[in-house]
């Protein structure tokens, strides 16, 4: 909680795209990345990630990721 009584935001980005090959993390086309959204906590980002991952389960090259943006914005914490 922060000083105003609100839960602290720990921002998370969910995005994905098609990989060039399954051996490395190289996207086939950066212009076609799917930016799912930014979420206020890991739990809600995980729900979004699972949904998108399930929708693309038939494409082995499609991968979705959760980025802990709060760690990038405030690396001291």
């Amino acid at each position: 909680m922060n000083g105003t009584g609100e839960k602290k935001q720990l921002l998370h980005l969910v995005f994905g795209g098609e990989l060039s090959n399954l051996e490395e993390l190289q996207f086939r086309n950066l212009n076609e990345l799917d930016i799912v959204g930014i979420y206020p906590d890991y739990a809600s980002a995980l729900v979004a990630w699972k949904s998108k991952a399930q929708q693309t389960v038939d494409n082995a090259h499609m991968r979705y990721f959760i980025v802990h943006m709060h760690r990038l914005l405030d690396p001291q914490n």
Side-chain angles (χ1 to χ4, degrees), residues 22-72:
L22 300 176
E23 310 276 318
E24 57 188 54
L25 185 58
Q26 182 80 24
F27 291 102
R28 185 168 285 163
N29 185 343
L30 293 177
N31 292 326
E32 293 181 3
L33 285 180
D34 181 12
I35 308 299
V36 179
I38 298 175
Y39 300 88
D41 54 50
Y42 182 78
S44 54
L46 185 61
V47 169
W49 173 84
K50 282 183 180 180
S51 174
K52 291 304 275 190
Q54 186 62 39
Q55 291 173 22
T56 60
V57 71
D58 292 334
N59 182 349
H61 284 87
M62 193 66 148
R63 293 286 195 276
Y64 281 87
F65 302 91
I66 298 175
V67 177
H68 299 264
M69 291 179 61
H70 61 95
R71 293 181 185 166
L72 299 173

Side-chain angles (χ1 to χ4, degrees), residues 8 10 68-77:
K8 183 177 179 184
L10 298 175
H68 299 264
M69 291 179 61
H70 61 95
R71 293 181 185 166
L72 299 173
L73 297 170
D74 188 9
Q76 299 298 326
N77 293 323

